[in-house]
Amino acid sequence: AMQAKLLRVLQEKKVRRVGSSKEIPVMCRIISATNVDVEDALSEKRIRSDIYYRLASVSIHVPPLRNRGKDVLLLAEEFIDRFQAIFRTKIEGMADEVKEVFLSYDWPGNVRELEHVIENALLVTKENEHELRLHHIPEKLFRDRKTDVKIKRGLVEEWKKVDLTAMVADYERKIIVDSL
């Protein structure tokens, strides 16, 4: 039903507010995105073909993050720069093990998932740390994948070093100092 209303707006270049009988002229451009296969959605009638062809005058296919190779690392570095300015951390990069995990992870949540992983990782870093290590990133990134023994062993050793109480205390102290 909403697709029919949108198509009417695009064709007639007019909208009508809810409860009103007056039509208002509009001049707009629509930028849309989808995370479903459009051909499948069209054949299953989840997307109306008339509205699709009206909207699809210029189509750009952006491959998922898992298919973009080293873009993952470039984006991760960009997010590190962005969030370290916000959180005032001194993180300068990522350990090789973290890079390896990032490159081998499927990223079902795409760029948004990577952004949240970096944001959360920077939140749990200590003041004296200068790179992201395995214990900073969520376990799910390497729990569900086949990883070599070296990374698993390194991860176990790093997790043994993590003192969550001390990390929380450091973060609380950082917030208080920044507020003061």
Side-chain angles (χ1 to χ4, degrees):
M2 186 56 72
Q3 290 181 39
K5 291 178 183 182
L6 179 59
L7 182 61
R8 193 173 314 116
V9 169
L10 292 173
Q11 288 176 340
E12 298 173 11
K13 299 190 183 335
K14 297 177 184 173
V15 295
R16 187 175 27 195
R17 291 185 179 148
V18 175
S20 174
S21 59
K22 181 181 175 187
E23 291 189 327
I24 302 168
V26 293
M27 181 86 153
C28 63
R29 291 192 175 135
I30 307 285
I31 299 174
S32 60
T34 182
N35 63 351
V36 298
D37 184 278
V38 176
E39 299 300 321
D40 290 343
L42 285 168
S43 67
E44 295 169 3
K45 308 262 189 234
R46 289 185 290 148
I47 296 176
R48 291 174 47 144
S49 60
D50 51 356
I51 196 163
Y52 169 72
Y53 293 114
R54 176 66 99 148
L55 291 173
S57 57
V58 176
S59 294
I60 300 171
H61 174 72
V62 179
L65 193 53
R66 69 180 160 273
N67 296 341
R68 294 187 6 217
K70 297 200 181 207
D71 284 359
V72 173
L73 300 181
L74 293 172
L75 287 165
E77 289 172 9
E78 171 62 30
F79 292 137
I80 288 171
D81 291 344
R82 182 185 306 169
F83 288 119
Q84 83 172 355
I86 294 169
F87 302 136
R88 295 186 179 105
T89 63
K90 296 175 184 162
I91 299 299
E92 297 166 357
M94 300 168 280
D96 290 338
E97 298 86 20
V98 172
K99 290 178 184 178
E100 188 176 330
V101 169
F102 281 5
L103 288 172
S104 64
Y105 184 64
D106 278 344
W107 299 106
N110 262 319
V111 176
R112 191 169 289 130
E113 181 181 11
L114 174 62
E115 180 180 15
H116 290 297
V117 165
I118 298 296
E119 180 180 14
N120 291 330
L122 288 177
L123 283 172
V124 297
T125 59
K126 296 180 183 176
E127 274 189 39
N128 61 345
E129 293 178 311
H130 298 288
E131 72 176 0
L132 290 183
R133 311 265 316 152
L134 286 173
H135 65 271
H136 296 125
I137 63 176
E139 184 183 343
K140 73 174 186 152
L141 269 63
F142 36 82
R143 178 183 56 216
D144 297 334
R145 72 182 191 95
K146 295 180 178 104
T147 181
D148 64 24
V149 177
K150 184 180 96 181
I151 288 185
K152 284 185 179 176
R153 190 178 316 116
L155 176 66
V156 170
E157 290 168 7
E158 285 199 37
W159 276 104
K160 286 179 183 176
K161 295 177 190 175
V162 174
D163 180 3
L164 188 57
T165 306
M167 289 174 69
V168 170
D170 284 347
Y171 185 65
E172 287 175 348
R173 187 173 57 73
K174 188 183 338 179
I175 291 172
I176 292 168
V177 167
D178 287 349
S179 296
L180 292 174

